[in-house]
């Protein structure tokens, strides 16, 4: 049983809604594994209350927090200190408070995405990568892939958003949303950052018939764990990487900032969190 004392280190995840978040599960798994006197709690916070809650958490001695929809941009605005990644994203998902009362923030989604692929043995340098989507998730993924010297191409239903992203990143090529399946043969990695295939959304058939046999396919969607895209890739015998690992890896930095231990992502953690997705 996990007992917390008066000296416990406390962190949280803020979102609206928050019930769906798997972050409490995974951080408390690590807290228990490392026998740390601490807790990580979900806080349902409305957009209009966000700034006040952050200040209150700081005053109450919280170590920091994760933020999810709809707070990532507001969290960026709250920060006293941000890194280059956060500046490029204009948003953060991880905050920590320093001893002298400063609020620091970064966005760990892109690093989590890259770490998940590396964990699966995928190399990224000079690889040709096709990214489906041009929203916030695509921005994180694309930025981190560029840090790995990958060559990125973006395709998005709304062309203007793809153009804006390429302009902001100062790198990348665009192909038309209608023609990505035809051009798939020239890519090493296909990444879905759209909500297509997410549980509760409309069905979508991914056409991978032009894929080369060495194409690796990954999805940042993890509910369902095996998405329609991953299923289509498996049926073609392609290597796939599940999105769940990105969620687990993006959590590591925050945990180490708040609780002082750099945790690992392993099979036991993956299955523990995956089991919660079935319910
Ligand atoms: P996130 O921050 O999770 O990336 P977002 O900014 O709303 O969320 O972006 C969602 C992405 O999924 C966008 O690329 C969106 O395409 P548009 O820019 O054209 O809206 C994409 N998307 C969502 N539903 C889609 C659909 N039915 N078909 C194609 N793309 C879709």
């Amino acid at each position: 049983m996990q007992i917390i004392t008066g000296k416990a280190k406390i962190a949280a995840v803020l979102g609206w809604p928050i019930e769906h978040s798997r972050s409490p599960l995974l951080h408390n798994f690590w807290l228990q594994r490392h026998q740390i006197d601490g807790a990580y709690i979900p806080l349902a916070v409305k957009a209009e209350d966000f700034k006040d809650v952050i200040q209150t958490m700081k005053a109450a001695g919280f170590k920091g927090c994760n933020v999810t929809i709809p707070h990532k941009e507001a969290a960026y605005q709250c920060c006293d200190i941000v890194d280059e990644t956060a500046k490029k994203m204009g948003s953060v998902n991880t905050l920590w408070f320093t001893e002298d009362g400063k609020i620091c923030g970064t966005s760990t989604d892109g690093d989590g995405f890259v770490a998940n692929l590396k964990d699966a043995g995928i190399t990224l340098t000079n690889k040709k990568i096709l990214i489906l989507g041009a929203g916030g998730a695509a921005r994180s993924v694309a930025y981190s892939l560029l840090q790995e010297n990958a060559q990125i191409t973006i395709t998005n239903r709304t062309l203007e958003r793809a153009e804006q992203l390429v302009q902001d990143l100062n790198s990348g090529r665009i192909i038309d949303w209608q023609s990505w399946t035809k051009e798939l043969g020239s890519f090493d990695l296909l990444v879905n950052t759209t909500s297509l295939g997410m549980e509760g959304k409309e069905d979508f058939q991914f056409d991978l018939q032009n894929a080369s046999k060495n194409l690796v396919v990954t999805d940042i969607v993890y509910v369902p764990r095996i998405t329609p895209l991953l299923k289509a890739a498996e049926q073609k015998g392609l290597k796939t990487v599940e999105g769940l690992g990105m969620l687990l890896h993006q959590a590591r930095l925050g945990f180490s900032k708040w609780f002082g231990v750099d945790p690992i992502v392993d099979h036991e953690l993956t299955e523990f969190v995956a089991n919660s997705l079935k319910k």
Side-chain angles (χ1 to χ4, degrees):
M1 191 173 42
Q2 184 79 2
I3 304 278
I4 63 171
T5 74
K7 293 182 196 148
K9 296 171 175 165
I10 312 292
V13 56
L14 280 61
W16 185 271
I18 198 63
E19 301 90 79
H20 66 281
S21 174
R22 264 66 188 190
S23 294
L25 216 77
L26 81 98
H27 282 284
N28 285 299
F29 175 96
W30 278 329
L31 285 169
Q32 198 150 9
R33 172 181 276 177
H34 294 284
Q35 294 288 295
I36 293 170
D37 184 11
Y40 180 102
I41 56 172
L43 295 177
V45 178
K46 288 185 184 156
E48 60 265 36
D49 297 326
F50 180 76
K51 283 188 178 162
D52 289 344
V53 172
I54 291 290
Q55 291 303 331
T56 304
M57 284 172 62
K58 194 173 84 169
F62 278 65
K63 295 293 176 192
C65 62
N66 284 126
V67 304
T68 185
I69 295 167
H71 303 311
K72 288 185 180 184
E73 285 81 18
Y76 177 75
Q77 298 299 331
C78 283
C79 289
D80 301 305
I81 300 168
V82 291
D83 61 7
E84 277 309 307
T85 310
K87 282 184 199 158
K88 272 279 181 206
M89 298 305 113
S91 67
V92 297
N93 68 350
T94 305
L95 299 177
W96 61 99
F97 307 133
T98 62
E99 298 279 323
D100 59 349
K102 297 270 192 307
I103 304 175
C104 304
T106 189
S107 173
T108 63
D109 289 332
D111 283 353
F113 173 81
V114 164
N116 186 36
L117 288 174
K118 287 187 174 172
D119 224 22
I122 311 296
T123 55
L124 297 166
T125 310
N126 295 326
K127 291 291 166 66
K128 294 194 178 72
I129 303 183
L130 177 60
I131 300 172
L132 308 182
R139 185 167 292 258
S140 296
V141 163
Y143 178 73
S144 290
L145 286 173
L146 288 173
Q147 306 305 304
E148 298 294 318
N149 293 318
Q151 298 172 34
I152 61 164
T153 299
I154 293 168
T155 185
N156 193 50
R157 178 180 61 177
T158 309
L159 176 65
E160 293 75 22
R161 279 186 103 185
E163 288 172 343
Q164 186 65 54
L165 182 53
V166 164
Q167 190 183 324
D168 293 348
L169 294 169
N170 210 10
S171 188
R173 201 164 69 83
I174 297 175
I175 55 176
D176 192 78
W177 180 248
Q178 304 306 329
S179 50
W180 69 263
T181 54
K182 281 182 238 128
E183 298 200 31
L184 195 53
S186 57
F187 292 98
D188 304 303
L189 177 68
L190 172 65
V191 184
N192 177 41
T193 74
T194 74
S195 48
L196 291 170
M198 198 181 275
E199 204 165 83
K201 304 268 176 179
E202 63 194 286
D203 282 349
F204 189 79
Q205 298 295 321
F206 288 90
D207 174 5
L208 303 181
Q209 62 176 320
N210 293 323
S212 82
K213 66 177 185 358
N214 296 322
L215 181 74
V216 177
V217 178
T218 188
D219 204 327
I220 69 158
V221 173
Y222 57 87
V223 186
R225 189 172 173 185
I226 307 301
T227 61
L229 174 63
L230 296 182
K231 214 176 272 176
E234 279 174 2
Q235 278 162 4
K236 268 194 71 75
L238 302 175
K239 183 171 172 62
T240 60
V241 182
E242 295 173 15
L244 181 58
M246 173 182 175
L247 170 78
L248 306 180
H249 278 284
Q250 65 75 32
R252 288 176 51 199
L253 181 92
F255 191 90
S256 71
K257 294 277 184 203
W258 311 316
F259 303 117
V261 171
D262 187 8
I264 59 159
V265 171
D266 61 5
H267 182 71
E268 193 188 1
L269 173 69
T270 306
E271 291 309 309
F272 177 71
V273 178
N275 274 333
S276 82
L277 302 176
K278 292 180 193 155
K279 287 162 200 158

